[in-house]
């Protein structure tokens, strides 16, 4: 029942990987990393529900809380590097 969902999520990650390889800009890389994190979280949630493993769901929720922190850190780093140029 969940197998098609997991396959689609993995295909989404492959598309993001293509964007990492293709995109030369830092913003392309950051968007791909965000795509990897949200897709990875979705995969953990689906697999946790499919296999009835509650800790997997807790780990996915912790990753979901950490994902915006990485985005803010990237934006601060990118803006500080532009200020130095």
């Amino acid at each position: 029942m969940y197998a098609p969902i997991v396959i689609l999520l993995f295909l989404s990650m492959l598309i993001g990987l293509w964007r990492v390889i293709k995109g030369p800009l830092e913003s392309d890389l950051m968007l791909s990393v965000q795509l990897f994190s949200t897709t990875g979280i979705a995969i953990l949630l689906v697999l946790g529900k499919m296999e009835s493993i509650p800790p997997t769901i807790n780990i996915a929720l912790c990753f979901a809380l950490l994902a915006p922190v990485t985005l803010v850190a990237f934006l601060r780093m990118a803006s500080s590097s532009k200020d130095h140029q």
Side-chain angles (χ1 to χ4, degrees):
M1 179 174 149
Y2 292 108
I5 296 170
V6 173
I7 291 170
L8 288 174
L9 290 171
F10 277 118
L11 287 175
S12 173
M13 288 187 97
L14 287 175
I15 292 169
L17 181 63
W18 175 77
R19 191 68 222 169
V20 167
I21 294 168
K22 181 86 170 153
L25 300 177
E26 289 180 353
S27 59
D28 293 332
L29 297 175
M30 190 59 211
L31 287 174
S32 296
V33 168
Q34 288 295 315
L35 175 69
F36 288 156
S37 67
T38 55
T39 306
I41 290 166
I43 289 171
L44 281 174
L45 288 172
V46 169
L47 291 177
K49 183 71 174 174
M50 191 169 63
E51 298 293 325
S52 299
I53 305 172
T56 306
I57 295 170
N58 292 338
I59 292 169
L61 293 175
C62 288
F63 284 157
L65 290 173
L66 290 174
V69 174
T70 61
L71 179 62
V72 170
F74 172 77
L75 291 175
R76 283 194 174 191
M77 183 183 70
S79 67
S80 68
S81 68
K82 287 182 183 177
D83 291 339
H84 293 284
Q85 290 179 354

